[in-house]
Amino acid sequence: MASNMVKKDERTTFIENISYKFGYVFITFALLLDVVYRSLKLNEAPWDLLALIIVSGLVMSLYQYKQKILGKTWIKTFIYVFAISFIIAFIMAFIRKLF
């Protein structure tokens, strides 16, 4: 039975990486939904879950930077995403204070 195993090639590595991506995206959005629920319904401070999301993103970005695979537009995209996220968070905090 062990002799019938498929050897690992580029295709299997590609499929594994895609599956890791889907798993990471699912976990990240599940944690973000949990953060929203804990903040709005339970009035808890969900900083521990947010820290998990932020640190995991930093680890991936640092690894990609070290491997020199980030393009020239990466910093510009990061700044745009950060600015838009900050504006949305500010608006949401302002609306929550009103209601």
Side-chain angles (χ1 to χ4, degrees), residues 8-93:
K8 194 170 185 176
D9 60 357
E10 296 86 12
R11 182 182 176 278
T12 56
T13 302
F14 177 77
I15 298 298
E16 282 179 349
N17 290 338
I18 294 295
S19 69
Y20 295 147
K21 176 189 171 194
F22 287 142
Y24 175 75
V25 168
F26 175 79
I27 288 173
T28 302
F29 279 102
L31 281 173
L32 285 173
L33 289 174
D34 191 28
V35 164
V36 170
Y37 178 77
R38 286 171 70 180
S39 295
L40 297 177
K41 295 293 182 186
L42 304 178
N43 291 324
E44 293 180 2
W47 295 111
D48 54 339
L49 297 177
L50 284 174
L52 284 172
I53 295 168
I54 292 168
V55 169
S56 66
L58 285 174
V59 168
M60 288 187 313
S61 297
L62 288 174
Y63 182 76
Q64 290 175 358
Y65 177 77
K66 186 177 179 181
Q67 298 298 320
K68 298 180 174 141
I69 64 165
L70 297 176
K72 295 181 186 222
T73 61
W74 180 80
I75 292 177
K76 187 167 54 170
T77 303
F78 174 77
I79 291 171
Y80 286 147
V81 168
F82 184 80
I84 291 169
S85 301
F86 181 78
I87 291 168
I88 290 171
F90 183 77
I91 291 170
M92 289 178 66

